[in-house]
Amino acid sequence: MSQQPAPSYVASNRIWTIPNVISFIRLLGVPLFLYLLLGPHHDVAAVIVLAVGGTTDWVDGFVARRMNSVSRLGELLDPFADRLYILATLIGFTVRGVVPYWLTGALLLREVVLAIALLVLRRHGYGPPPVHYLGKTGTFVLLAAFPAILLAKAVPSIDSWMGPIGWALAWWALALYWAAAALYLIQTAQLLRADREDRAGAVVR
């Protein structure tokens, strides 16, 4: 029996698609989360907002593929919302003392490394490399780790088992994040080497 080819999704120029609306709602959750966490310290409510934001990260991608409503805006908006959630959570958690500085530094350093690689690629006329499943999985795991860590702090009676779960997920996410970064750097080096070879060939010809 012949194997069915994997479905291909063509990104459209539409803006008001259901996945994009979900992503916009996710973005609105960022200031709400920071207010709950840093203002009145409603940690349980902040956990709920954070958990909903992490869950809808998967939902908008699933809906986009299921309804064949992948858009160019969505391809930019989804990772932007992910990074904004992670950045806001790291800032809020660090200010509140929920996570140590080394975790914040390790995650932010990874973003700085990728930002530099992206600038180098753009200077040579390349766009950003495609999102790798390791990075996407790392984001999903991290967005699951954060609510667990905060919930353990907010409800001391479950800290003995919820805390270790949250930190195990955080370590897992950190490893996936840096593994994905290594792959992106390898892709960047391959593109730059191919670019140099093409230019060298053009000079010889």
Side-chain angles (χ1 to χ4, degrees):
M1 184 171 61
S2 61
Q3 186 178 6
Q4 294 293 328
S8 59
Y9 302 97
V10 178
S12 70
N13 292 318
R14 290 180 295 171
I15 296 177
W16 295 110
T17 64
I18 293 177
N20 288 351
V21 170
I22 295 174
S23 293
F24 282 127
I25 294 173
R26 287 182 65 210
L27 290 173
L28 292 176
V30 173
L32 176 60
F33 164 75
L34 286 175
Y35 166 75
L36 293 171
L37 183 69
L38 300 178
H41 289 192
H42 291 328
D43 290 349
V44 175
V47 167
I48 294 172
V49 173
L50 194 58
V52 170
T55 302
T56 51
D57 173 44
W58 174 82
V59 170
D60 59 1
F62 174 79
V63 171
R65 293 185 296 270
R66 188 75 173 179
M67 300 181 63
N68 195 21
S69 56
V70 177
S71 67
R72 293 182 177 85
L73 177 62
E75 290 176 340
L76 297 174
L77 200 58
D78 184 47
F80 174 74
D82 291 342
R83 281 174 168 77
L84 192 59
Y85 256 99
I86 291 171
L87 179 61
T89 305
L90 283 174
I91 292 173
F93 278 18
T94 304
V95 171
R96 284 282 308 276
V98 178
V99 298
Y101 285 101
W102 64 260
L103 178 62
T104 303
L107 291 171
L108 292 181
L109 179 61
R110 185 257 192 188
E111 295 301 319
V112 171
V113 169
L114 291 187
I116 294 173
L118 182 58
L119 288 175
V120 172
L121 285 175
R122 285 182 174 171
R123 186 176 180 181
H124 287 79
Y126 292 102
V131 176
H132 196 275
Y133 77 92
L134 281 180
K136 194 66 178 174
T137 304
T139 299
F140 181 80
V141 174
L142 193 61
L143 290 176
F146 283 153
I149 292 171
L150 182 58
L151 189 60
K153 182 179 179 63
V155 186
S157 61
I158 65 172
D159 180 51
S160 60
W161 58 272
M162 182 61 75
I165 290 175
W167 281 106
L169 290 172
W171 276 105
W172 184 21
L174 185 61
L176 289 172
Y177 250 38
W178 275 101
L183 290 175
Y184 290 140
L185 292 177
I186 291 172
Q187 287 179 306
T188 300
Q190 290 173 341
L191 287 172
L192 295 179
R193 184 168 58 249
D195 185 62
R196 285 196 301 268
E197 291 174 354
D198 289 343
R199 293 188 180 188
V203 171
V204 172
R205 289 194 294 270

